[in-house]
Amino acid sequence: MNVLIVEDELRIAKRIERMTRDIFGSTLQSLKHINTLHEALRHIENSELDLVLLDLNLNGDNGFDLLTKAVSGSFHTIIISAYKDQAITAFEHGVLDFVPKPFNQDRLLQAFNRATAKEKAENSKIRFLAIKKKGRMQLVPIEDIIYIKGAGVYTELFLTDGRKELHDKSLEKLEQLLSYSFERIHKSYLVKMSEIKEINVSSGSKYMAELKNGERIPIGRTKYKDIKAKWL
């Protein structure tokens, strides 16, 4: 586990470091603390990370300037902040969890468990997925996404207007973030259930989901019964 802490208060940063080492133990490969927005941006661009712990107020700089870039990355982002009123906005942008200050080790452990358990986040407030496009960040509304296809360590977002956008997060990480309106119907596909028009069985026991736009997506053999039950 490679963790970055972005926090401008040294006392709190040291506390987070201690708790993080206690929780992850020998599985922690690297742990770095950065206290400025610009340095954090450079580090994110040039480092392999699994988890970013981000404060929303960094020496007067707005952490949301970093958040959009963070949530577009391949890693998960957890906010640790006293600004509880910004929690909904943070979730809308795709953070895995929001830990309000003051906090204890049990609350931080709960957030870390979400990052490692590979289960869907309890919230369903996410409204956007941030993507990198031509050197800039772009927010893609969740309502515009029909399905998502795994593409190695990346994913491809298929949108209602026919566009296809590349996202740096894996299918597993996006599955954690997205609400229960999306289901993993196949090892390579996440599909918005409301976009399924028909579920068909063809010769050779091949299961297919026909979408409202006419596309056909395979359904995993072991997932067929569960997906059909949820769709009906």
Side-chain angles (χ1 to χ4, degrees), residues 6-11 13 33-36 55 57-60 101:
V6 187
E7 167 65 63
D8 65 344
E9 293 186 58
L10 183 59
R11 177 181 59 83
H33 166 230
I34 291 176
N35 62 5
T36 68
D55 189 5
N57 185 6
L58 300 166
N59 297 302
K101 296 178 181 177

Side-chain angles (χ1 to χ4, degrees), residues 5-13 15-16 53-58 79-84 98-104 107:
I5 299 169
V6 187
E7 167 65 63
D8 65 344
E9 293 186 58
L10 183 59
R11 177 181 59 83
I12 295 176
R15 187 164 174 256
I16 296 172
L53 309 178
L54 172 66
D55 189 5
L56 291 178
N57 185 6
L58 300 166
I79 300 297
I80 302 178
S81 173
Y83 295 89
K84 299 177 185 178
F98 188 106
V99 177
K101 296 178 181 177
F103 60 92
N104 56 29
R107 181 62 183 88

Side-chain angles (χ1 to χ4, degrees), residues 159-176:
L159 309 181
T160 52
D161 62 3
R163 286 185 297 129
K164 180 174 68 175
E165 302 287 0
L166 190 67
H167 200 290
D168 281 354
K169 276 188 173 60
S170 67
L171 203 62
E172 286 73 21
K173 282 189 169 64
L174 288 185
E175 184 179 10
Q176 284 180 272

